[in-house]
Amino acid sequence: MQHKERRGGPPSIVEVARAAGVSTATAGRVLGGYGHAGAASRAKVEEAAQRLGYRPNGLARSLIHGSTQTVGVVVTDVGNSFFASAVRALTDVVRAAGYEILLANTDSDPAAEQRALQIMWEKRVDGLVLAPQGPDTAERLRPMAEAGLPTVLLDRPLAALPHVDQVTINNTACARSAVGHLTRLGHRRIAVVSEAARDLDRLRDARVKDGDDERPSAARLVGHLAALRRAGIEPDPELVVHSPYDRHAAERSVRRLLRRNPEVTALFCTDNVLSSGAVAALQDSGRSCPGDISLVGFDDQDWTTLVRPRLTVVRQPRRELGTAAGRRLLERMAERERHAGQESAQAPGSGAAAGERIVLRGRLITRESTGPAPGTARTPSA
């Protein structure tokens, strides 16, 4: 009985076996990379697969080998250059180890994050790197972490999941350094633009050492408040300005701030998007920088040295964050592989060891956008 000529679609393993003149089981062993097949049969199967354009079923192969050779990466805004740099570095690390990434963007939307995590789980990624949307992410992530999926948090900690590794920077100390620079220049009326401004009542009494348990914007606000108090300045709620992560919204917020509080002589922005909005507002305000008002931003972007005056910033180790997250994830995946199949291994989620917190250090880069407060001649102390 003659077989009908195949019509379209990718060739199946049955068709490869038929073309090679071997059993389907033999073709499966050759193409799946498991079991034994003779040299002659292997050559026939490989030749037939190449001639027909056969592509292996990645999911089926993962069921056999227990690995998809993929890493899931979920971030809140891949368009933000901070995450773009971190993800690029992370990709370089895992690709060198033979993995590729599946990337998802959540726009800080809880439903989008839930869907992204579900997809990563269904795709059977070997590990996950996640920049959490917020504290509620813990409950969305918990089932996967407790099921044993190697997971590393990027940039944003989750105190509710202490057994998950976290890679962050010292946000509170960085903000305290930035605002301390302004107080040493003689500034007393220092405003801050922050996504966390609405959490002021909760954060104003937070201990400095607890700041880095917060999301980055909140941790930086804790550092801002601590620097003011260290300089003997009582924080003024009128000078804590809220803005979402949107350049135009930040520009509008800074415009309102300057209209209502013309005595402000310095401004600290807790994010690079907010910094760009503040620069635009100052350029249109008629005030000179730093003669009338000094400006400090967070994150050293290419544009921060193209504007005039060049912007004083906290430089974040963006690529180093991605590299550290990738390396830590590879270590966790290797540990899981070593323990796979061991009957004495702990049950997932029971008595899990504490995760490691890797804290990288940012640093203040002083440039021409900051200077002595108007009417003073003070300079920063060494």
Side-chain angles (χ1 to χ4, degrees), residues 48-325:
Q50 183 175 6
R51 174 161 43 87
L52 294 177
Y54 173 80
R55 294 291 183 269
N57 184 318
L59 182 58
R61 186 166 59 183
S62 75
L63 294 174
I64 297 169
H65 295 286
S67 171
T68 60
Q69 296 301 113
T70 57
V71 166
V73 179
V74 181
V75 297
T76 54
D77 183 6
V78 73
N80 187 312
S81 60
F82 169 82
F83 285 117
S85 295
V87 170
R88 171 55 194 269
L90 190 156
T91 301
D92 291 344
V93 170
V94 300
R95 181 174 288 164
Y99 295 86
E100 289 294 339
I101 70 166
L102 299 179
L103 178 63
N105 183 77
T106 68
D107 286 321
S108 295
D109 177 64
E113 182 180 76
Q114 177 64 55
R115 177 59 178 161
L117 292 175
Q118 179 181 345
I119 290 295
M120 296 303 174
W121 186 248
E122 292 173 355
K123 295 293 184 183
R124 297 175 180 266
V125 294
D126 296 316
L128 177 69
V129 175
L130 170 69
Q133 175 269 328
D136 291 343
T137 298
E139 292 311 307
R140 291 187 281 274
L141 180 61
R142 190 184 304 279
M144 300 168 67
E146 293 186 347
L149 179 68
T151 302
V152 175
L153 302 180
L154 177 70
D155 183 48
R156 304 175 176 190
L158 287 177
L161 293 179
H163 57 286
V164 175
D165 294 317
Q166 307 178 27
V167 180
T168 63
I169 74 162
N170 57 334
N171 283 296
T172 306
C174 286
R176 189 166 54 177
S177 174
V179 178
H181 171 64
L182 294 171
T183 62
R184 290 192 297 272
L185 285 166
H187 294 278
R188 305 290 294 177
R189 298 294 287 170
I190 303 172
V192 58
V193 183
S194 171
E195 175 272 342
R198 290 172 178 167
D199 293 333
L200 176 62
D201 288 342
R202 180 176 65 84
L203 297 172
R204 64 190 311 163
D205 296 322
R207 296 180 299 177
V208 173
K209 71 183 186 70
D210 296 332
D212 283 337
D213 287 333
E214 300 282 350
R215 68 188 189 277
S217 58
R220 294 165 193 171
L221 183 53
V222 170
H224 168 85
L225 298 172
L228 293 183
R229 291 197 177 100
R230 175 180 287 183
I233 303 170
E234 183 60 29
D236 182 351
E238 288 292 319
L239 304 188
V240 180
V241 179
H242 175 264
S243 175
Y245 293 124
D246 177 84
R247 188 183 78 85
H248 299 292
E251 182 177 353
R252 291 191 296 270
S253 294
V254 173
R255 286 177 183 273
R256 285 194 299 270
L257 167 74
L258 297 179
R259 284 198 307 268
R260 297 173 182 176
N261 301 276
E263 77 285 1
V264 166
T265 65
L267 181 61
F268 171 50
C269 297
T270 62
D271 172 83
N272 69 81
V273 175
L274 307 183
S275 301
S276 65
V279 167
L282 290 180
Q283 287 175 339
D284 292 339
S285 70
R287 301 191 187 198
S288 67
C289 179
D292 295 323
I293 189 165
S294 288
L295 177 63
V296 179
F298 212 100
D299 207 6
D300 197 13
Q301 306 283 312
D302 290 341
W303 67 265
T304 61
T305 58
L306 299 178
V307 296
R308 292 297 181 271
R310 299 183 308 160
L311 195 63
T312 293
V313 295
V314 172
R315 177 178 290 167
Q316 295 193 86
R318 294 176 291 175
R319 289 189 60 86
E320 292 86 345
L321 277 171
T323 297

Side-chain angles (χ1 to χ4, degrees), residues 325-349:
R327 288 174 177 169
R328 189 59 182 146
L329 186 67
L330 290 174
E331 290 171 359
R332 288 303 195 192
M333 291 192 297
E335 289 174 8
R336 183 179 66 166
E337 187 174 343
R338 286 196 298 269
H339 293 130
Q342 294 183 3
E343 293 182 357
S344 60
Q346 277 187 324

